[in-house]
Amino acid sequence: MPVLVHVVDHPLVAASLTKVRDENTPNAVFRQELERIGALLLVEATRGLATHEVAVQTPVAMTTGRILTTQPVIVPILRAGLGFVNAAQILIPGADIGFIGISRNEETFEPQPYVNKLPDSIADRVIIVLDPMLATGGSLAHTCRLLYDHGATGPIVVVCALAAPEGILALQDTGMDLQIFTASIDERLNEHAFIVPGLGDAGDRQFGAA
Ligand code: PRP
């Protein structure tokens, strides 16, 4: 199964990415800019959603329009993925939201799950996983495996602000069918498995250290 990576090259994404990388950006501004990145990435990530034609009566005449054939399922990975949820709900107001909570063990870098609250039915629906950071790939691999075990049809769409090459390779090794939309593939991981140059800890910079 392929892992396809789309780097969204857009001036507005680049400008917001510069803001969130800057260590001097206050947390309130960080949240705004991260959400803006999420919205712009989601526009690209949803380009392939299926639509069908419907009739619509305007105040002037009958015409036709298009609506989504199936509502997607949005799955933020807590905590950092919460920063993309508002943008996702504005863009796709009919989407269901599932929640996966994962904390990365900062010594072993292994994912430690603590929340799993998914919609009952996710088969044959587009699933969009939100996590600003793809570092080792452990959190996303765990989440996407859960989703496939829960009946996801795939490919699963992943939206992340930053991706490390090591994390992309790790996801390729899982054999899962994934489409990743990111603002940047950064250089590498450091010895603490932080993305370099990265933006630091996206959870802490939105919500405070925890
Ligand atoms: C961070 C980040 C990703 C994950 C990426 O979460 O927000 O979810 O690590 O790392 P990985 O690709 O190596 O798994 P963290 O564990 O810091 O939790 P938080 O979002 O609650 O801050």
Side-chain angles (χ1 to χ4, degrees):
M1 294 279 194
V3 173
L4 299 178
V5 184
H6 309 260
V7 179
V8 176
D9 182 14
H10 190 290
L12 300 180
V13 173
S16 289
L17 191 55
T18 303
K19 282 277 191 191
V20 297
R21 286 193 193 280
D22 187 342
E23 66 176 0
N24 293 315
T25 295
N27 287 6
V29 178
F30 181 93
R31 287 194 297 271
Q32 288 173 352
E33 296 297 339
L34 190 70
E35 183 172 309
R36 208 185 310 279
I37 292 169
L40 290 162
L41 295 179
L42 277 160
V43 166
E44 292 303 317
T46 53
R47 194 175 286 281
L49 289 182
T51 59
H52 63 269
E53 192 173 288
V54 293
V56 59
Q57 173 76 57
T58 81
V60 178
M62 278 297 290
T63 185
T64 56
R66 304 195 71 79
I67 61 171
L68 295 185
T69 299
T70 311
Q71 291 294 338
V73 178
I74 307 293
V75 182
I77 301 179
L78 310 183
R79 291 177 304 165
L82 291 174
F84 286 165
V85 170
N86 187 47
Q89 287 193 297
I90 287 171
L91 292 173
I92 321 166
D96 288 332
I97 313 284
F99 297 89
I100 297 292
I102 296 181
S103 193
R104 192 178 73 170
N105 183 308
E106 292 305 340
E107 284 165 14
T108 64
F109 311 132
E110 289 296 311
Q112 296 179 320
Y114 60 89
V115 170
N116 179 344
K117 191 77 175 168
L118 296 172
D120 292 336
S121 173
I122 64 172
D124 298 322
R125 301 175 71 181
V126 172
I127 298 177
I128 305 174
V129 178
L130 309 176
D131 190 343
M133 311 297 278
L134 165 49
T136 67
S139 301
L140 273 166
H142 182 89
T143 299
C144 295
R145 177 53 59 207
L146 268 177
L147 291 165
Y148 275 119
D149 289 347
H150 195 66
T153 310
I156 292 174
V157 176
V158 172
V159 172
C160 55
L162 296 182
E166 296 91 330
I168 293 171
L169 284 174
L171 290 179
Q172 284 169 340
D173 285 345
T174 67
M176 288 187 283
D177 192 2
L178 306 175
Q179 292 184 1
I180 300 171
F181 291 80
T182 185
S184 172
I185 301 174
D186 273 13
E187 290 170 19
R188 61 186 171 85
L189 296 179
N190 69 13
E191 65 275 22
H192 304 295
F194 268 63
I195 298 175
V196 179
L199 52 76
D201 186 314
D204 289 1
R205 292 191 66 187
Q206 291 180 83
F207 306 116

